[in-house]
Amino acid sequence: MNGKEIVQKVRQKMKDHHELFARAIPLIASENITSKEVREATLSDFSHRYAEGWPGERVYAGCQHLDEVEFICMDLAKEVFGAKFADVRPISGVVANLVLYSAFTNPGDISMSISIPAGGHISTGPLHTSKGNYMGGTAGAVRGLNVKYIPFDRKGLVIDVEKAEEAIKELKPKLLHFGASVFLFPHPVKQLAPVAKDLGATVTYDAAHVSGLIACGHFQDPLAEGAEAMAFSTHKTMFGPQHGCVVSSNDDEEFTNKIKRATFPGMTSNHHLHNVAGLAIALAEIKEFGKEYGAQVIKNAQSLAKYLETEGFTVVAKDKGYTKSHTLLVDVSPLQEKSGLGKDIEEALEKADIILNRNLLPWDMFEGRNYLNPGGIRMGTSEITRLGMKESEMKEIANFMRRVVIDREDPTKVAKDVNAFRSAYQKLHYCFSSNEDAYKFIEIY
Ligand SMILES: Cc1ncc(COP(=O)(O)O)c(C=O)c1O
């Protein structure tokens, strides 16, 4: 292929991708879709610029408009999270976590976080060595932290508060880092933060998944409950562009300087100014539409869980009402003989244009399963909520899933019904301009 053909091919692939998402049911818990205004920001000239340093104190010229937008973004982040300080420069959730590690720990310090099988994220995980290679989670492999796990009640899907308290007292961590990727229920920040702080730890919270729900006032409020700083992605339940952020309840100069310096020059040079502009717009949307959006996301997750149970699936944490967030986790191991495990089911559903991901269950490793073909599938309801879906649509989605996974109907046949269903949900909700097709490919030339 010559250069021009490659350009055409890449453009065509992007168009195909847009078409796929316009006809499919998007259920990946870490994803969302941005408004027209946010997308405009991400396409703007902001994406070509550098502005190293703190706004107003840059070491580049040409930053006056960028600076003003960044101040607006910081003010909005402080407002929606009830924070005293915000740094909107980390370029992703992983980078925001690294900012916290580098601000509040030294290599070799003990940190405590949730293990991956219990729903934790790779960025909070320990170092592993395999055949002489160093690999593993960011906290261990990049910051050199000695990562210990917060005790977790595997069947109850919650942190075991009593055991966690004992472990904190015994280990005396430098950092107690809450948060998870399978985040069904709030973490016991209120109970455990004072224990850790008394022993000299900094208490932080990774809100990558739930930042949108927190900003909307529909999940726990970690800063008010005792977390001193919170790191998060801006594009999961929060419907901003792909970016990161750190906010804190502490505006003491010594404390905030640690975060600022860890972000720049520590973790960033260019901090993706187009995404800072997009984030400012998304935060304004959250302020305006967040209450309604967050409530519906959670109602949809609970209702999808309930209908999936009715259709014959085993949704975890039934005794606790399945979830208090956007996420639900299904144990597919009872279906193994007929339908396979997480990977097989993810692939079958993908053929029906239902897009979700396989996921480890907290007890998988003990039953001989691993992340390649685990016993679970995970779903999130943020994106389908933005498409205007409510409880009755959750019933239809659960039924499509039953037809593919339990009835073993030809997924390509189910896809036709999925596509017909999706055709009625093309517009974006909870934003200022809701009359545009959500997945329209924007052509500039
Ligand atoms: C708990 C948690 N932290 C951090 C991240 C990383 O976020 P990002 O992809 O924005 O770097 C994720 C991503 O899914 C996550 O689930």
Side-chain angles (χ1 to χ4, degrees), residues 10 105 203 227-228 239 255 306 312 330 358 378 425 427:
V10 173
T105 66
V203 177
E228 294 158 278
F239 34 69
F255 186 89
K306 187 187 78 186
V330 173
R358 71 193 83 172
R378 183 186 71 162
Y425 303 95
K427 310 284 182 211

Side-chain angles (χ1 to χ4, degrees), residues 2 5 9 31 48 61 66 74 99 108 177 181 209 221 240 257 276 293 333 369 376 381 401 421-422 435:
N2 64 30
E5 285 165 346
K9 169 101 184 175
E31 294 178 358
H48 303 129
L66 306 168
M74 289 191 288
V99 165
H177 195 42
S181 294
H209 263 267
D221 183 349
N257 271 343
V276 172
Y293 156 79
S333 64
R369 293 183 290 269
T381 52
M401 289 178 63
F421 163 78
R422 245 319 294 279
N435 59 349

Side-chain angles (χ1 to χ4, degrees), residues 108-135:
D109 283 346
I110 292 179
S111 71
M112 290 183 75
S113 54
I114 297 287
S115 75
I116 292 172
H121 187 252
I122 43 168
S123 62
T124 66
L127 169 74
H128 297 292
T129 50
S130 167
K131 297 181 190 134
N133 293 320
Y134 287 93
M135 50 192 264

